[in-house]
Amino acid sequence: SLSEKLQNVFNRLRGKGVLSEQDVNEALREVRLALLEADVNFRVVKDFMGKVKERAVGQEILQSLSPVQHVIKIVNEELVALLGGSDVGLTFAQKPPTVIMLVGLQGSGKTTTAAKLANLMRKQGRKPLLVAADVYRPAAIKQLQVLGEQLGIPVFALGDKQDPVHIGKSALGAAEVGGQDVIILDTAGRLHIDEQMMDELARLKATLSPQEVLLVVDAMTGQDAVNVAEQFNSALGADGFIVTKLDGDARGGAALSIKAVTGKPIKFAGVGEKMDALEPFYPERMASRILG
Amino acid sequence: LTGRRPVDDELFDDLEEALIQADVNIHTTMAVVNDLRDASRKERINDSDAIKERLKDDLVKVLTANADEHLRWSPSPPTVYLVVGVNGVGKTTSIAKMAARFKSQGKKVMLAAADTFRAAAIDQLEIWANRTGVDIIKQREGADPAAVVYDALQAAKSRGADIVICDTAGRLHTKKNLMEELKKIGRVVERELGREPDEVLLVLDATCGQNAVSQAREFKEAVPITGIILAKLDGTAKGGIVITLKDELGIPIKLVGTGEKCEDIDEFDSRDFVSALFG
Ligand SMILES: Nc1nc2c(ncn2[C@@H]2O[C@H](COP(=O)(O)OP(=O)(O)OP(=O)(O)O)[C@@H](O)[C@H]2O)c(=O)[nH]1
Ligand SMILES: Nc1nc2c(ncn2[C@@H]2O[C@H](COP(=O)(O)OP(=O)(O)OP(=O)(O)O)[C@@H](O)[C@H]2O)c(=O)[nH]1
Ligand SMILES: [Mg+2]
Ligand SMILES: [Mg+2]
């Protein structure tokens, strides 16, 4: 663990009395390693360590009686601060329906998360409508319909021969007729470098004016998380993130990376395959997970 | 990293940074770059291009050493492949791609829809079976996956299929009961075939970082992994972690996925892969 590694460093330095800046740097190297092992992006680590070093090389740690606790405390505080406010909820429309659009790379967990979100909305006393706007992946529409059926939540679909923008627009009308006040749109997985597919999302957003465009990111994503987050954000203006598959043992450094480079909040955590496996995002928990 | 420059600490730092950003494990990276630093000193290499080429050669060596990179075919049909991995990595789509490829090679292909858990998983594989014109064995959602595999093996023998490719449900390697289920599927294949599956292919998402090591380790504990399919290499992620998987676990990369269509699959080429790490 990080505290054990830091303890080793400081044990070696103990005979020295007061710690010098160089000694502290040696300890911080362990922190840097831990963050890279946790998949935090290389340049995010660089910026982050800069902040930590500023605080660590002050008088407080150089004369601290428990330097390990001190370093961990500083790193933890900086991580939590960077990971952001823990109750960034969803923005709802003044006049319904509220539109929530889920976007992201292939296989990140959008369809499953859409259903989980719909479940959450209903638990909050709202009337959700799921919209099947993935016309590309085989049986994607059926997947959402099966989940909707399991939950008893309606799914709007026009089959896979229609343009997703047309499906989205028609869903607005359907919600009005059906009396649903939250529309959750599932979109096809796509690469941030696929211009045509990114343009489709831009057109969807322009047509539907969603209150929330949420980028769904797999917790095991490595260094590439920064590229994905930056591209989706600059193309669409993300309102936030949902990090999925946090029920595994991925350290989840991608969460820090995407928040750091876009400033957009992480709103939810996917923690399983079942429909109740969606939690609010807790920065403190994420921070200690990343540090290992 | 382009163009001639002095062979100094900054060069090695930049090479280290490139590897880390390609998701090569940090310890693998440090070991490789340190060896390179030593070699450059001993052999007095003062050409930065030569250093970079040497690094690429070293990485290719790691990837190809004792690597059985070809897909195995059994002399006694059916050949059986088991496709496994965590959720959403590209298992089902990779199976469709293999089916299309083998069909075009004149093989009689059969698919086993042994993901009986996820919504519309069977439907998804069935659409691919229809599109590629291959047989599929399926049961209803919620059936025992090992029973589906058993059925498929019987059907393959009676219909004279050359190969059976088994799809399995995505599962996190940390879920003990799901890994036990996978072990059971593996045992059913062994019992019916009288040998281990000819390939147990672990599908990895190229966007995956260091967690791939934990995935590979746990899956290898449960079933005899013979190779990796590195999917989604058409994105911007480099998939460098597979170097560590080969180095530390001895698992070769056999195929790469380069898109969502059934022709988007290639044999792994270590030279191309390593060059792309620095692209
Ligand atoms: N363990 C776990 N599995 C998850 C979670 N979220 C999604 N999954 C699984 O991840 C896999 C992919 O989920 P999907 O919802 O199909 O992903 P997607 O983003 O819609 O995929 P595409 O539409 O192909 O881009 C499925 O097996 C899901 O059950 C999670 O939080 N934990
Ligand atoms: N761009 C790209 N997308 C891919 C590739 N391979 C698979 N995909 C996409 O990734 C998503 C998930 O693929 P699946 O084949 O359903 O993944 P899976 O591992 O079977 O998922 P689960 O069964 O839910 O665990 C789909 O949208 C695929 O089209 C690839 O090589 N490149
Ligand atoms: Mg989907
Ligand atoms: Mg699948």
Side-chain angles (χ1 to χ4, degrees):
Chain A
S1 73
L2 178 61
S3 25
E4 287 167 351
K5 295 203 183 115
L6 287 176
Q7 194 59 62
N8 289 335
V9 172
F10 284 116
N11 283 345
R12 271 182 283 123
L13 302 173
R14 196 174 303 181
K16 302 180 98 195
V18 174
L19 301 178
S20 72
E21 178 169 337
Q22 193 173 333
D23 298 332
V24 173
N25 283 345
E26 193 174 333
L28 293 184
R29 229 168 282 146
E30 289 297 335
V31 176
R32 176 176 173 269
L33 251 156
L35 293 176
L36 288 173
E37 284 174 338
D39 287 322
V40 182
N41 182 267
F42 190 90
R43 55 185 170 110
V44 172
V45 172
K46 205 167 188 175
D47 295 341
F48 181 80
M49 291 312 298
K51 284 205 203 90
V52 169
K53 200 172 278 187
E54 265 177 46
R55 282 190 59 186
V57 184
Q59 278 312 302
E60 43 181 311
I61 194 167
L62 289 182
Q63 297 172 359
S64 168
L65 291 175
S66 65
V68 174
Q69 274 91 318
H70 219 107
V71 170
I72 297 225
K73 176 168 173 289
I74 291 171
V75 175
N76 207 61
E77 283 175 3
E78 290 298 324
L79 274 182
V80 172
L82 192 45
L83 285 165
S86 61
D87 47 273
V88 189
L90 295 170
T91 301
F92 291 91
Q94 289 260 354
K95 175 173 171 293
T98 292
V99 178
I100 301 172
M101 210 167 116
L102 296 188
V103 303
L105 294 183
Q106 292 89 346
S108 57
K110 299 174 293 299
T111 305
T112 309
T113 303
K116 290 178 186 178
L117 259 178
N119 193 24
L120 179 65
M121 294 297 96
R122 188 188 39 192
K123 284 201 195 127
Q124 291 178 352
R126 303 175 197 275
K127 300 202 196 70
L129 176 68
L130 283 163
V131 180
D134 178 354
V135 302
Y136 306 97
R137 169 174 155 154
I141 295 171
K142 177 105 196 274
Q143 184 184 2
L144 194 63
Q145 287 171 327
V146 169
L147 294 177
E149 201 168 320
Q150 285 175 6
L151 291 171
I153 290 175
V155 176
F156 180 80
L158 289 179
D160 63 5
K161 304 286 185 289
Q162 299 287 341
D163 170 32
V165 180
H166 171 70
I167 295 172
K169 198 152 199 297
S170 309
L172 289 178
E176 196 163 335
V177 169
Q180 285 99 18
D181 57 12
V182 184
I183 292 176
I184 299 166
L185 201 90
D186 181 26
T187 66
R190 69 203 64 214
L191 295 178
H192 48 299
I193 52 172
D194 185 333
E195 285 191 23
Q196 214 171 349
M197 289 299 274
M198 292 304 287
D199 182 67
E200 175 184 279
L201 286 184
R203 286 185 293 114
L204 256 174
K205 177 170 182 176
T207 305
L208 302 178
S209 303
Q211 279 66 36
E212 295 279 348
V213 173
L214 301 174
L215 179 61
V216 179
V217 176
D218 194 321
M220 66 181 191
T221 311
Q223 297 288 309
D224 198 47
V226 157
N227 298 330
V228 179
E230 280 182 330
Q231 295 272 35
F232 271 89
N233 191 37
S234 71
L236 295 175
D239 294 292
F241 304 100
I242 299 180
V243 177
T244 60
K245 307 177 202 171
L246 278 167
D247 46 319
D249 62 356
R251 295 266 288 276
L256 184 67
S257 305
I258 63 186
K259 174 88 194 345
V261 301
T262 63
K264 300 297 170 73
I266 300 170
K267 303 208 174 190
F268 294 101
V271 293
E273 294 193 76
K274 301 222 172 76
M275 294 293 101
D276 56 1
L278 189 71
E279 296 177 349
F281 177 72
Y282 298 112
E284 296 85 358
R285 287 191 207 169
M286 197 72 223
S288 49
R289 178 183 184 129
I290 288 174
L291 283 183
Chain B
L1 284 172
T2 49
R4 288 286 179 72
R5 43 183 292 192
V7 177
D8 56 8
D9 279 344
E10 195 175 333
L11 173 67
F12 291 108
D13 283 349
D14 285 355
L15 290 172
E16 204 174 84
E17 180 172 342
L19 291 177
I20 292 171
Q21 290 186 324
D23 283 317
V24 181
N25 174 268
I26 178 120
H27 301 288
T28 307
T29 298
M30 294 199 298
V32 166
V33 173
N34 281 337
D35 285 351
L36 190 66
R37 220 185 294 250
D38 291 345
S40 77
R41 229 173 279 138
K42 272 207 198 89
E43 302 167 33
R44 309 198 184 213
I45 309 173
N46 45 28
D47 173 353
S48 63
D49 284 346
I51 293 279
K52 199 167 154 197
E53 286 313 305
R54 173 62 171 264
L55 176 56
K56 288 187 194 170
D57 289 343
D58 289 348
L59 293 173
V60 169
K61 278 205 193 95
V62 172
L63 286 169
T64 54
N66 302 318
D68 178 2
E69 292 179 330
H70 297 290
L71 291 174
R72 291 185 204 142
W73 288 85
S74 172
S76 46
T79 290
V80 179
Y81 291 0
L82 202 53
V83 177
V84 305
V86 301
N87 307 72
V89 293
K91 298 177 292 301
T92 305
T93 310
S94 299
I95 290 170
K97 295 172 185 179
M98 284 191 281
R101 172 171 277 225
F102 298 153
K103 173 122 203 281
S104 74
Q105 293 169 353
K107 307 279 190 203
K108 185 160 161 55
V109 180
M110 174 167 290
L111 303 183
D115 177 356
T116 56
F117 170 73
R118 206 210 66 214
I122 298 169
D123 299 78
Q124 182 187 7
L125 189 66
E126 189 159 25
I127 290 172
W128 280 120
N130 293 335
R131 283 189 192 173
T132 54
V134 304
D135 269 350
I136 180 168
I137 295 296
K138 57 174 184 157
Q139 292 182 13
R140 53 210 325 268
E141 199 179 289
D144 176 6
V148 178
V149 170
Y150 177 86
D151 267 6
L153 295 179
Q154 303 312 317
K157 286 183 206 154
S158 69
R159 296 182 207 177
D162 295 312
I163 182 166
V164 180
I165 312 176
C166 307
D167 192 11
T168 61
R171 70 200 66 223
L172 291 184
H173 50 294
T174 47
K175 311 225 161 157
K176 197 156 190 297
N177 58 329
L178 298 183
M179 297 310 281
E180 286 302 314
E181 177 186 87
L182 190 58
K183 285 183 192 168
K184 181 174 168 209
I185 294 173
R187 284 197 300 270
V188 164
V189 175
E190 277 190 53
R191 210 177 49 227
E192 287 311 303
L193 282 188
R195 62 176 193 274
E196 286 180 347
D198 300 289
E199 291 285 346
V200 180
L201 298 166
L202 176 66
V203 182
L204 279 186
D205 191 323
T207 66
C208 185
Q210 303 305 306
N211 194 244
V213 178
S214 178
Q215 292 175 27
R217 237 179 226 132
E218 294 304 318
F219 273 91
K220 193 166 180 233
E221 271 285 302
V223 283
I225 302 289
T226 56
I228 286 169
I229 299 179
L230 185 60
K232 308 181 195 171
L233 212 49
D234 47 315
T236 51
K238 305 285 174 74
I241 196 67
V242 299
I243 296 173
T244 302
L245 299 187
K246 172 65 177 55
D247 195 30
E248 287 188 18
L249 300 174
I251 307 174
I253 303 88
K254 300 218 176 189
L255 297 169
V256 296
T258 57
E260 302 194 67
K261 303 204 262 354
C262 60
E263 51 267 23
D264 295 334
I265 190 163
D266 283 323
E267 290 177 347
F268 179 69
D269 182 307
S270 56
R271 183 63 60 179
D272 290 346
F273 177 79
V274 168
S275 300
L277 292 181
F278 298 96

